[in-house]
């Protein structure tokens, strides 16, 4: 017989969630690592999460008591509270003490999911509030500016193709930021939601050390450390003087980021690291299993390799760059195989692997 969701179950889940999220909010507010990237004092990631927490406090009980979701019976917040309270129980033996310290599988999953949602959502919101949106302009005037600039270039008498090349060179960075903003918005929505309503309920999370490490090593603030040892690029701009070559590179970089956006849009609410929220098989996932990672690797190559042909850089600097490229490619390879090691436990993913046989390059690898 199916268990009914009672008022007591709802209260226990809601109160434990408020306590857990309140603790996380206090950590976020007092964490100094992100403060250096805040450019706008009147709108930053801290205000966003305060508003998000207050929204949960007042809106969540209305949803819980109206819908009475079955997920309340498997409350991740309550599992974490149970683990914490168990640590204060007096242990009669060393064995009992060790058993209390060791989390049960549901508690381990709950804590990992909380970490994933917190770590990556803070990264996404911080990037949006303090990097991407400020660079584009919160009033989105840049959209009109891009189209107006295009018309102006076409009206100039230098020649259509020459003007088009110059337009791509001048606005390429803006297009890339626009695509990254759209990608980050989708990821932000995904990390801040975990619901049957949005069809993105988390089934399981990867708790293996290698899986977690290979993933978070690519994200701020961990990149503060990794960038000290692994060279990714020597220039923020592509050091190419030939207009045609520079145009082609810009087009390829925009295309790579756009395909990456398509991959994220296909997953939408199921997007995210280290979690299984259900299997998606539509384009581009019907061609290769890791289109997003493939595009990220191509982006690294396209923005880094041109530097190797700049005479001003020493052989040592170029060698360091090549080593950095190879290391980052290997990191994304590790992410893919650890991700598959987790997902392969799902029968749906097993069928998907049989159908889509290649990870990165169609018909090759």
């Amino acid at each position: 017989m199916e268990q009914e969701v009672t008022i007591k179950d709802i209260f226990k889940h809601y109160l434990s969630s408020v306590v857990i999220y309140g603790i996380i909010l206090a950590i976020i507010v007092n964490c100094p690592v992100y403060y250096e990237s805040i450019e706008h004092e009147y709108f930053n990631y801290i205000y966003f999460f305060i508003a998000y927490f207050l929204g949960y406090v007042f809106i969540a009980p209305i949803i819980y008591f109206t819908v009475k979701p079955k997920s309340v019976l498997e409350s991740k917040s309550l599992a974490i509270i149970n683990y914490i309270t168990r640590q204060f129980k007096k242990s009669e033996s060393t064995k009992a003490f060790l058993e209390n310290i060791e989390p049960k599988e549901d508690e381990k999953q709950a804590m990992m999911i909380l970490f994933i949602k917190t770590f990556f959502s803070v990264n996404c919101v911080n990037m949006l509030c303090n990097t991407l949106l400020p660079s584009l302009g919160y009033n989105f005037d840049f959209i009109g500016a891009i189209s107006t600039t295009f018309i102006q270039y076409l009206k100039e008498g230098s020649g259509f193709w020459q003007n088009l090349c110059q337009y791509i060179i001048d606005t390429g960075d803006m297009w890339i930021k626009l695509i990254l903003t759209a990608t980050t918005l989708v990821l932000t929505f995904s990390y801040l939601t975990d619901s049957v309503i949005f069809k993105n309920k988390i089934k399981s999370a990867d708790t293996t050390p290698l899986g977690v490490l290979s993933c978070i090593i690519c994200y701020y603030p961990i990149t503060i450390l990794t960038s000290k040892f692994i060279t990714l690029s020597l220039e923020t701009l592509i050091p190419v003087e030939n207009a045609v070559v520079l145009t082609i590179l810009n087009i390829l970089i925009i295309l790579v980021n756009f395909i990456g956006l398509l991959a994220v849009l296909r997953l939408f609410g199921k997007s995210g690291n280290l979690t299984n929220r259900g299997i998606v098989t539509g384009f581009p996932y019907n061609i290769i299993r890791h289109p997003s990672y493939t595009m990220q690797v191509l982006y690294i190559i396209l923005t880094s390799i041109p530097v190797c042909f700049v005479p001003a850089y020493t052989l040592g600097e170029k060698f360091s760059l090549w080593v950095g490229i190879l290391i980052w490619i290997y990191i994304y390879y590790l992410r893919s195989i650890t991700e598959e090691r987790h997902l392969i436990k799902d029968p749906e993913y097993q069928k998907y692997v049989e159908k889509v046989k290649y990870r990165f390059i169609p018909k090759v690898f």
Side-chain angles (χ1 to χ4, degrees), residues 60-100:
I62 299 173
I63 298 174
Y64 290 146
F65 284 106
T66 303
V67 180
K68 293 185 177 180
K70 297 292 182 182
S71 58
V72 167
L73 299 173
E74 300 175 353
S75 171
K76 297 180 181 68
S77 297
L78 191 58
I80 295 173
I81 292 293
N82 288 338
Y83 173 76
I84 294 172
T85 54
R86 197 168 69 246
Q87 305 312 304
F88 295 95
K89 291 183 178 179
K90 186 178 179 180
S91 302
E92 297 179 356
S93 63
T94 303
K95 182 180 179 182
F97 173 75
L98 293 175
E99 286 177 351
N100 283 336

Side-chain angles (χ1 to χ4, degrees), residues 7-192:
I7 294 177
K8 183 180 179 181
D9 293 326
I10 293 173
F11 266 117
K12 287 169 66 177
H13 169 70
Y14 171 69
L15 293 175
S16 60
S17 296
V18 169
V19 171
I20 293 295
Y21 296 159
I23 293 172
I24 294 299
L25 178 63
I27 294 172
I28 292 173
V29 169
N30 291 284
C31 181
V33 73
Y34 292 100
Y35 290 162
E36 62 184 29
S37 62
I38 293 177
E39 298 179 8
H40 294 259
E41 59 177 310
Y42 299 110
F43 186 72
N44 59 61
Y45 81 102
I46 294 176
Y47 298 155
F48 175 89
F49 281 106
I50 291 174
Y52 182 80
F53 174 73
L54 293 175
Y56 179 85
V57 169
F58 293 107
I59 298 173
I62 299 173
I63 298 174
Y64 290 146
F65 284 106
T66 303
V67 180
K68 293 185 177 180
K70 297 292 182 182
S71 58
V72 167
L73 299 173
E74 300 175 353
S75 171
K76 297 180 181 68
S77 297
L78 191 58
I80 295 173
I81 292 293
N82 288 338
Y83 173 76
I84 294 172
T85 54
R86 197 168 69 246
Q87 305 312 304
F88 295 95
K89 291 183 178 179
K90 186 178 179 180
S91 302
E92 297 179 356
S93 63
T94 303
K95 182 180 179 182
F97 173 75
L98 293 175
E99 286 177 351
N100 283 336
I101 290 179
E102 181 67 25
K104 299 174 184 177
E105 184 57 34
D106 65 321
E107 295 167 346
K108 187 186 297 184
Q109 283 286 313
M111 288 187 284
M112 180 53 67
I113 289 171
L114 180 65
F115 167 77
I116 291 168
K117 292 168 70 175
T118 302
F119 181 83
F120 293 110
S121 66
V122 169
N123 263 281
C124 288
V125 176
N126 181 60
M127 184 178 292
L128 281 172
C129 294
N130 304 314
T131 304
L132 293 173
L133 291 179
S135 66
L136 293 173
Y138 284 106
N139 53 11
F140 295 97
D141 285 346
F142 68 92
I143 296 177
I146 286 177
S147 58
T148 303
T149 305
F150 179 70
I151 295 171
Q152 289 175 347
Y153 274 109
L154 290 182
K155 288 181 178 179
E156 291 182 5
S158 304
F160 175 79
W161 291 110
Q162 184 177 343
N163 290 340
L164 184 60
C165 287
Q166 193 60 48
Y167 172 78
I168 293 171
I169 292 170
D170 291 345
T171 62
D173 185 57
M174 189 68 72
W175 282 108
I176 292 168
K177 286 180 180 178
L178 180 59
I179 293 170
L180 289 176
T181 300
T183 302
T184 309
L185 281 169
V186 175
L187 291 171
T188 301
F189 171 80
S190 180
Y191 285 122
L192 293 177

